[in-house]
Amino acid sequence: MSNAAKNEKIKQAMQATREKHKNMTCRVFELKLNSRKMSKTQKEQLTTYFREAKWRRNNIVADFAKASRNAKSATVKVGDTFEERPFTILGSQVIQDIYDNIKTEIKGLRTKKEKGEKVGKLRFKSVCNCIPLRQYNTTYRIDFVRGLFRIQNIRKSFIVHGLEQIPPEAEITNAKLLRKASGFYLHVTCFLYKEQLKRTGRMVGIDFGIEHNLTLSSGETIDICVSESKGVKLASKRLNQAYKRNGKKKTSNHYRRAKKLRRAYEKDSNRRQDKANKAIHEILLNNDFVAMQDEMLHNWQAGLFGRRVQHSAMGYIKAKLKTNLKTYVVSRSYPSTQICPACGQKTKQPLKKRDYDCSYCGWHHASRDVKSAQSILLRALYEVNVSPEQRAKSFVEADTATQVLQSMLCKYSPMKQEAQVL
């Protein structure tokens, strides 16, 4: 078979795979390599794998125009001189994947720059903690029966935990090998056939806040706050004491203490992420339509509420919900806290005032956060062209103001309502 025919066959197979994956769900499963069962040679090989990946990446960033996709060595700066070091353990496909990933990053920066966004440039990395593994059964292999994982160019397999998460019918594709403070991890990408979702007929609006991280239009509140644990404080204190004793001189003791601090931070982050994932799951499971506003959480953290935002998971929840098909995002310019749903006028409310009173028509709500979440939901339903009657039914409130609001929504036509909201 000629090269042209072979390439055409590969192209057709890739196209068929893309069409197949359109009707499937993509999920990523995290597996952990058992470090305690690793030999000294295996640990050295993994360390070399990440070190050579760093060489490869920095070599491409230094001069992308002259970089080769199939390089066998990298130029490394040692002191004031440069040395040519061969790749002794890095796989051929990994070498190509690192090049392709940097090429994709450059294209992304160019696209952002063309849109007028301010972008920087790719920087050198002192540590590489992520290695792409593109092709299953070639770049890496998984033995589900014995619970083993093998990487290209490393003869001995690694014991891996968490394989029971992957369903037998899952189609395994690429993966990423990660190095964290707590050990080595494998993120495996799988495609699963879509399950038929159960319709609940419910809608919900979400308001982000400081007093309560999430306030739902139904009146429920969700707080996800994991403050610094005792482990983080103790590890940070010991590291600072070591720096004071030895000054700027770093020893192996510094490395061990810094690693303990990274592990403690990672543990807190995992706890925070676990709570956030459970909250996201409950919201998406119980509702068919989710409305949220594109809040500037970064400004909140830079202002008066830095520690509260840092210890919460609002940014993670916002990013996850935005990528879900059930979610509709309302513009951040919409005054959900100030606007009155009865008369459409805006009344500024101070932060210390936790209820809502309209200075024009006297409309009152016991909670400004719940009212804001309901306003976000109504605005989202209006923007997706839902009728006023359906919008009134979705506005859930446990007081007599519901009837007033429903009558107002049915009274005003979409044209008048748009004029009032704006």
Side-chain angles (χ1 to χ4, degrees):
M1 183 183 294
S2 62
N3 290 334
K6 185 178 179 180
N7 292 336
E8 183 64 25
K9 187 177 180 180
I10 294 174
K11 184 178 179 181
Q12 292 177 0
M14 292 178 65
Q15 184 65 27
T17 303
R18 291 192 189 99
E19 293 296 328
K20 179 183 177 182
H21 287 171
K22 286 182 180 179
N23 301 320
M24 302 178 74
T25 304
C26 180
R27 291 190 60 186
V28 178
F29 298 93
E30 185 180 68
L31 313 177
K32 185 174 183 180
L33 278 63
N34 192 336
S35 301
R36 295 183 178 181
K37 297 292 183 179
M38 288 184 192
S39 63
K40 187 177 179 180
T41 304
Q42 284 181 308
K43 292 181 180 180
E44 291 177 354
Q45 288 175 336
L46 281 178
T47 304
T48 305
Y49 222 89
F50 283 98
R51 182 168 58 248
E52 292 184 356
K54 180 193 71 173
W55 293 348
R56 171 65 171 160
R57 186 190 186 282
N58 291 342
N59 209 216
I60 298 171
V61 172
D63 194 347
F64 181 79
K66 295 182 179 179
S68 173
R69 190 169 181 269
N70 300 305
K72 302 297 182 183
S73 61
T75 305
V76 181
K77 186 177 181 180
V78 182
D80 296 331
T81 61
F82 290 90
E83 297 180 3
E84 194 73 17
R85 297 186 177 179
F87 298 128
T88 59
I89 198 171
L90 201 64
S92 57
Q93 281 196 341
V94 176
I95 293 173
Q96 297 175 10
D97 291 344
I98 295 173
Y99 179 90
D100 294 339
N101 287 350
I102 294 179
K103 189 176 180 180
T104 304
E105 291 178 14
I106 293 175
K107 287 182 179 179
L109 292 176
R110 184 181 63 185
T111 303
K112 287 185 176 182
K113 190 174 182 179
E114 290 175 354
K115 291 181 180 179
E117 298 182 22
K118 186 177 180 180
V119 297
K121 59 181 180 179
L122 295 179
R123 299 180 180 273
F124 297 109
K125 284 190 175 182
S126 58
V127 178
C128 178
N129 291 323
C130 179
I131 296 178
L133 306 174
R134 175 184 295 182
Q135 194 170 1
Y136 181 57
N137 284 332
T138 303
T139 314
Y140 73 101
R141 294 180 183 179
I142 297 178
D143 188 343
F144 286 88
V145 178
R146 296 187 294 172
L148 299 177
F149 161 70
R150 186 174 177 182
I151 315 176
Q152 187 182 33
N153 287 353
I154 296 181
R155 291 187 60 184
K156 195 172 181 180
S157 301
F158 300 90
I159 299 175
V160 64
H161 298 299
L163 290 175
E164 64 278 359
Q165 304 176 79
I166 304 178
E169 66 277 6
E171 182 180 337
I172 302 175
T173 55
N174 57 5
K176 289 184 178 180
L177 182 63
L178 304 178
R179 179 173 57 180
K180 300 181 182 180
S182 57
F184 299 97
Y185 293 83
L186 184 69
H187 286 188
V188 183
T189 305
C190 301
F191 282 88
L192 304 171
Y193 288 99
K194 293 182 179 179
E195 299 179 1
Q196 191 168 2
L197 299 177
K198 296 180 180 179
R199 297 292 179 182
T200 61
R202 298 177 184 174
M203 303 177 185
V204 68
I206 300 176
D207 176 64
F208 293 93
I210 300 301
E211 184 179 7
H212 299 290
N213 296 149
L214 300 180
T215 303
L216 308 185
S217 57
S218 59
E220 300 176 20
T221 58
I222 301 175
D223 291 316
I224 301 171
C225 181
V226 179
S227 57
E228 289 184 355
S229 62
K230 292 183 179 179
V232 171
K233 295 178 181 179
L234 182 60
S236 179
K237 180 180 179 180
R238 290 178 175 176
L239 181 62
N240 292 334
Q241 289 175 350
Y243 275 117
K244 288 180 180 179
R245 286 196 302 267
N246 300 324
K248 296 182 179 180
K249 185 179 179 181
K250 293 184 180 180
T251 62
S252 59
N253 192 25
H254 286 79
Y255 173 77
R256 288 194 298 271
R257 293 182 185 275
K259 191 172 183 179
K260 287 182 179 179
L261 180 60
R262 291 197 301 271
R263 285 179 180 174
Y265 272 122
E266 184 181 338
K267 188 175 180 179
D268 288 354
S269 178
N270 290 341
R271 290 172 55 204
R272 191 179 299 113
Q273 187 173 339
D274 179 64
K275 289 185 176 181
N277 286 332
K278 290 177 181 177
I280 294 169
H281 176 74
E282 288 296 324
I283 292 172
L284 297 177
L285 183 65
N286 299 327
N287 300 280
D288 295 336
F289 183 81
V290 179
M292 57 176 283
Q293 194 167 13
D294 190 14
E295 301 282 2
M296 292 289 290
L297 300 179
H298 183 269
N299 291 349
W300 295 6
Q301 186 174 3
L304 301 174
F305 312 105
R307 182 164 294 184
R308 293 187 184 181
V309 176
Q310 181 182 357
H311 293 166
S312 70
M314 290 188 291
Y316 179 80
I317 294 175
K318 176 186 172 184
K320 284 291 182 181
L321 288 177
K322 285 179 71 174
T323 59
N324 194 276
L325 296 177
K326 291 184 178 181
T327 306
Y328 184 85
V329 182
V330 177
S331 173
R332 65 184 58 162
S333 61
Y334 176 67
S336 59
T337 306
Q338 303 175 13
I339 197 163
C340 176
C343 64
Q345 299 295 333
K346 291 191 296 183
T347 303
K348 290 187 177 182
Q349 308 288 328
L351 286 176
K352 63 181 180 180
K353 192 176 187 302
R354 303 317 303 167
D355 57 350
Y356 179 87
D357 290 299
C358 179
S359 58
Y360 293 90
C361 67
W363 190 82
H364 174 78
H365 197 290
S367 174
R368 60 179 284 173
D369 295 333
V370 176
K371 176 261 164 195
S372 179
Q374 293 170 347
S375 298
I376 291 171
L377 177 58
L378 287 174
R379 181 62 184 178
L381 293 175
Y382 177 77
E383 291 182 0
V384 296
N385 297 323
V386 177
S387 64
E389 291 78 10
Q390 290 176 329
R391 274 179 268 162
K393 291 179 182 179
S394 67
F395 198 105
V396 182
E397 189 176 4
D399 56 15
T400 56
T402 305
Q403 298 177 358
V404 177
L405 181 61
Q406 290 179 359
S407 63
M408 296 301 294
L409 288 173
C410 296
K411 179 180 177 182
Y412 292 109
S413 64
M415 292 295 293
K416 289 182 180 178
Q417 194 174 16
E418 174 66 14
Q420 289 180 355
V421 170
L422 295 177

